[in-house]
Amino acid sequence: MPNLTSWGSREIEKLKNDMDRLFDSLCVDYGIPSVCGIIDCTPRTEMKEQNETLVVRTTMPGFQAEDLGVSVTETTMTISGEKKVTFQGGRKTNHFKKTIPLPCRVDPENVRATFKDGVLEIVLLKCIIKPQKTIFITAE
């Protein structure tokens, strides 16, 4: 077996995403409920820190803006969704909820979210951390 190569996390993640898409498309083609109710199909998320902001992007194929919800605290963000699926035997509602720890404190009052072409983008304003102040003690 000299021609074997080991897969890194990138290749394994790509295989997982490809398999998720395959199963979801089969469910749509045959009119059966998606496997998202059985298997963890929470969306993949990427985060990017910029000067004063933290930008979070996640792909949400098949969802509409009104299917999604975002809640934010200073240290976490929760993305949730609900999608109704109609199939031959009836209807099913798939739910997901993903809580993400944030790498820095953010201002929960200054959050902007947009949804376009199946991509949810959330822009969070970082909390301004004031440097520690040292004071001098004088003797009286």
Side-chain angles (χ1 to χ4, degrees), residues 17-76:
N17 291 337
D18 290 345
M19 293 302 291
D20 286 346
R21 277 193 297 277
L22 172 67
F23 281 112
D24 284 341
S25 69
L26 284 172
C27 292
V28 169
D29 291 346
Y30 291 99
I32 57 176
S34 171
V35 295
C36 286
I38 304 164
I39 300 171
D40 178 21
C41 290
T42 54
R44 182 113 169 107
T45 304
E46 69 177 42
M47 222 177 283
K48 187 176 191 179
E49 276 192 70
Q50 296 173 343
N51 293 335
E52 295 91 24
T53 61
L54 178 66
V55 179
V56 180
R57 284 188 193 92
T58 184
T59 55
M60 309 293 292
F63 283 90
Q64 302 297 318
E66 57 270 9
D67 299 332
L68 303 171
V70 176
S71 60
V72 179
T73 69
E74 281 190 2
T75 57
T76 63

Side-chain angles (χ1 to χ4, degrees), residues 83-108:
K83 184 175 178 183
K84 291 180 176 43
V85 178
T86 304
F87 57 99
Q88 288 176 334
R91 289 174 53 132
K92 181 180 184 215
T93 303
N94 290 327
H95 303 272
F96 77 87
K97 185 175 188 177
K98 182 175 187 177
T99 300
I100 304 163
L102 300 173
C104 59
R105 290 193 178 277
V106 298
D107 181 357

